Amino acid sequence: MSAKKRNNHFLVQGSILAAASLIVRMIGLLYRIPLTHIIGDEGMGIYTHAYALYNLALILSSYSVPLAVSKLVATRTAFKEHRNAYRIFLCAMVFSIAVGLIATLIIFFGADFFAVVISNNPKVALPLRILAPTILVFSIMGVFRGFYQGKNTMIPTAISQILEQIVNAVVSIVASYLLMKNYSASVNVAAYGAAGGTLGTFIGAFVGLLFLVFVFVIYKPVLNKQMRKDSESTRESYKSIYKLIIITILPVVLSQTVYHVSGVIDNSMFGHLMEGKEIALFDYEVLKNSETGLYSKDNTLTLIGIYGSKYLTLSNVPVAIASAIAAAIVTSISAAHAKGYVEEIRNKVSAAIKFNMIIAIPSAVGMGVLASPILRLLFRDSYQLSANFMRLGSIAIVFYALSTVSTSILQGIGKLKIPVINSAISLGIHVVLIYVLLEFTPLSTYALVIGNVIFALVVSILNWFSLEKYLNYRQEIVKTFIIPTVSAGLMGVAAYFICNGFMKWTGSILIPILITIPVSILLYFSLLILMKGLEEHEIAQIPKGEVMIRILRKMHLL
């Protein structure tokens, strides 16, 4: 297979997972709308706290498993060592069940401790306890997903993610509604509502796992046939595989832990540092009904709810593409690295970064320009504070996309410790910055947005230097960053006037947004192609690229 075709396959698999991830994020975004209406901003604040703690436990126990398993399986599959790949699957499963069970028990029985000490609010304990069994389910599911990805197919992972999210959405809404209704007289009614949302996460994950097991049962005869052809001399011992799994998983765990612990730290610092302070001018719009004029546990939860359930949720939608490409590129680069295909690795790196920037940059611009109408349409949120979060923090989309992909590239070439070091440096800067801004300035929740941007920016810069050092590689700048930025900037100006013009003319929000988004996308890609930011041979590598080329020729853009 030629390098060009191998690149094309990597983009195809990444695009399949990216499409599924976007569908999953859109479902997640859409079900958050009724969920927010049902449990309110305070309930969403409790949900955000519980989910941040759960995410941290998930990262420590199983979040790194798919990446580690896919990397190890891909390397064995590249040399047709199918029996060793299966042994890695078995060892990873035993490891994940043991670690996942321990993490589940710690979170379940320690929920009250974590809620009070870390989140500074005992209401977080109930939804956190409901979430605890999901860790074990995800631990098992991660091994299946990593195995399939290592076999160079993203389809089982993609379908399971969509099934998982559909069930999650339905159960979350129904359970939250019923629990809020049944416990309406309780002082902890918002906590019960949040618990309904976390119950959906558990049931959805369980359904996703059932699908992956079903796929494995069907695939097992094919795997048995492949293993019978293996040479006995290449068989690796279980002891050496366990050692390899631990060596591979630990740096990834540390990297992902550092990467995601910033959210837990932000929520914790905000709750502890702001309680009892005079409410900042920025937050009066949201907390105008506060009787004391001081931050309390409940109104800090409200602000965290807006920050987490609206700003972070919306900004994470386009980052899903980067996460999908990152999952695909680890497998692809690991196989190329094992065979010493240095030039192919550089080509893949260039394609992955450029593909992500072409999507992330206009997403950031669009999210910032259309912040207010999107929030009003989706959440009926007309707060200036919420819109300003989006305007100020939308640039983080670009930095998170770049840092996510570059981290996976470094892991793919075996530099597992480097992302840990880079993320740790960034976290240190992030924590100091957030503390100073919360303690000594009136920025309040804006400090969290600024910290979110700076964290991703620093990781991106450090990873960039690491790629240059270890791959002797320099990313092309003009077509990867400058032309997409110029195209997105012009698109943003057009989107602003189109959306606001139609809003004044129609008096609605839905129709202007439905018109503005597709027109903006068409305008952006037209400008990108006209400025030679995306050329014909690059379009050909994208899934259905030949069809796109024919359409673009008919439009006289090529």
Side-chain angles (χ1 to χ4, degrees):
M1 185 183 290
S2 68
K4 183 177 179 179
K5 288 183 178 179
R6 282 193 292 265
N7 260 355
N8 184 54
H9 187 68
F10 137 68
L11 286 174
V12 167
Q13 292 300 317
S15 298
I16 289 170
L17 196 55
S21 298
L22 277 178
I23 293 170
V24 166
R25 296 293 174 96
M26 289 306 298
I27 295 171
L29 178 61
L30 291 174
Y31 92 77
R32 291 285 182 99
I33 299 167
L35 188 64
T36 302
H37 292 323
I38 292 168
I39 70 177
D41 284 332
E42 183 187 348
M44 290 306 296
I46 296 170
Y47 179 87
T48 300
H49 269 290
Y51 217 85
L53 290 166
Y54 155 77
N55 263 336
L56 182 57
L58 193 65
I59 289 160
L60 288 169
S61 61
S62 59
Y63 193 87
S64 60
V65 168
L67 190 149
V69 172
S70 67
K71 176 178 168 61
L72 295 174
V73 169
T75 303
R76 303 307 181 280
T77 303
F79 292 100
K80 300 189 184 302
E81 297 176 8
H82 301 291
R83 190 178 299 277
N84 286 334
Y86 182 60
R87 285 189 158 215
I88 288 168
F89 168 79
L90 293 177
C91 292
M93 185 62 74
V94 173
F95 177 87
S96 293
I97 290 173
V99 175
L101 182 59
I102 292 169
T104 292
L105 294 174
I106 290 172
I107 293 297
F108 186 85
F109 291 107
D112 292 310
F113 170 80
F114 294 123
V116 173
V117 174
I118 297 179
S119 297
N120 195 35
N121 199 303
K123 294 180 181 180
V124 175
L126 178 61
L128 185 59
R129 196 169 280 117
I130 299 293
L131 269 174
T134 317
I135 298 170
L136 177 59
V137 175
F138 262 107
S139 297
I140 300 169
M141 189 157 52
V143 179
F144 282 107
R145 285 176 172 170
F147 183 71
Y148 298 138
Q149 289 165 203
K151 290 288 184 177
N152 217 12
T153 175
M154 303 293 167
I155 294 174
T157 297
I159 295 174
S160 70
Q161 285 180 345
I162 294 171
L163 281 174
E164 175 193 332
Q165 191 70 320
I166 290 172
V167 175
N168 180 9
V170 173
V171 174
S172 293
I173 293 169
V174 173
S176 294
Y177 174 77
L178 293 176
L179 287 170
M180 289 286 285
K181 184 178 180 181
N182 291 336
Y183 292 93
S184 58
S186 171
V187 293
N188 291 326
V189 61
Y192 283 104
T198 58
L199 179 63
T201 304
F202 170 67
I203 301 297
F206 188 73
V207 170
L209 175 59
L210 290 179
F211 172 78
L212 292 171
V213 172
F214 171 73
V215 172
F216 186 79
V217 170
I218 294 173
Y219 175 65
K220 188 61 165 60
V222 177
L223 182 61
N224 289 338
K225 186 177 179 181
Q226 291 174 334
M227 288 192 294
R228 282 195 292 269
K229 297 178 181 179
D230 277 7
S231 169
E232 292 292 324
S233 61
T234 61
R235 186 180 297 185
E236 295 178 74
S237 68
Y238 285 113
K239 182 179 179 180
S240 65
I241 289 173
Y242 275 118
K243 183 178 179 181
L244 192 60
I245 287 173
I246 293 170
I247 291 171
T248 305
I249 281 179
L250 280 178
V252 179
V253 167
L254 290 172
S255 175
Q256 294 294 337
T257 301
V258 174
Y259 212 74
H260 288 82
V261 77
S262 60
V264 176
I265 293 173
D266 288 356
N267 295 344
S268 180
M269 284 201 297
F270 189 80
H272 282 88
L273 293 176
M274 299 307 291
E275 186 180 356
K277 282 189 174 185
E278 185 178 346
I279 294 175
L281 181 64
F282 299 121
D283 297 331
Y284 264 118
E285 178 190 19
V286 177
L287 307 177
K288 56 188 174 186
N289 294 324
S290 175
E291 296 178 359
T292 63
L294 303 176
Y295 289 104
S296 65
K297 282 185 173 64
D298 288 343
N299 56 34
T300 55
L301 280 175
T302 298
L303 293 170
I304 288 293
I306 293 172
Y307 171 75
S309 67
K310 295 172 185 176
Y311 163 64
L312 289 182
T313 298
L314 285 169
S315 60
N316 279 338
V317 171
V319 176
I321 295 175
S323 299
I325 297 297
I329 202 170
V330 166
T331 302
S332 185
I333 284 184
S334 294
H337 182 66
K339 292 186 174 182
Y341 295 156
V342 178
E343 192 57 37
E344 183 180 325
I345 292 173
R346 292 194 185 108
N347 290 335
K348 289 177 186 293
V349 171
S350 177
I353 292 176
K354 184 171 183 177
F355 185 82
N356 268 282
M357 291 301 98
I358 283 173
I359 302 299
I361 292 171
S363 298
V365 172
M367 203 73 78
V369 169
L370 301 177
S372 183
I374 288 174
L375 287 165
R376 286 161 60 191
L377 175 65
L378 296 180
F379 300 103
R380 298 178 189 173
D381 183 339
S382 57
Y383 290 135
Q384 191 68 31
L385 181 73
S386 305
N388 285 345
F389 283 175
M390 294 305 306
R391 294 184 186 117
L392 177 64
S394 61
I395 187 64
I397 293 170
V398 177
F399 300 141
Y400 272 107
L402 184 57
S403 61
T404 299
V405 172
S406 56
T407 292
S408 292
I409 292 167
L410 289 167
Q411 290 165 342
I413 61 173
K415 302 299 179 183
L416 300 175
K417 295 179 182 179
I418 301 303
V420 179
I421 296 169
N422 293 346
S423 296
I425 293 170
S426 182
L427 181 63
I429 295 170
H430 172 86
V431 170
V432 172
L433 177 66
I434 292 291
Y435 178 82
V436 170
L437 293 179
L438 289 177
E439 186 68 21
F440 302 108
T441 75
L443 287 173
S444 180
T445 36
Y446 284 112
L448 301 182
V449 180
I450 294 169
N452 187 56
V453 173
I454 297 300
F455 176 79
L457 171 63
V458 174
V459 174
S460 297
I461 293 171
L462 294 176
N463 282 358
W464 185 275
F465 289 140
S466 298
L467 287 177
E468 288 189 349
K469 178 179 178 181
Y470 294 108
L471 283 176
N472 191 23
Y473 168 82
R474 288 184 180 273
Q475 182 72 31
E476 187 279 328
I477 299 295
V478 175
K479 293 182 179 180
T480 303
F481 297 101
I482 296 177
I483 292 178
T485 300
V486 172
S487 301
L490 295 172
M491 175 209 75
V493 173
Y496 176 83
F497 285 108
I498 292 170
C499 188
N500 282 278
F502 274 102
M503 283 171 62
K504 289 179 181 178
W505 183 39
T506 62
S508 72
I509 302 174
L510 177 60
I511 294 173
I513 286 182
L514 290 177
I515 293 171
T516 302
I517 291 176
V519 170
S520 298
I521 292 172
L522 181 62
L523 176 62
Y524 168 73
F525 279 103
S526 298
L527 290 169
L528 190 68
I529 293 167
L530 287 171
M531 289 189 229
K532 306 295 183 183
L534 191 61
E535 298 190 24
E536 187 171 325
H537 72 277
E538 293 172 318
I539 299 171
Q541 292 185 3
I542 300 171
K544 302 295 181 183
E546 297 298 333
V547 176
M548 293 173 64
I549 288 170
R550 286 198 296 270
I551 294 171
L552 291 169
R553 281 176 177 165
K554 288 180 180 180
M555 296 172 64
H556 302 290
L557 291 173
L558 284 177

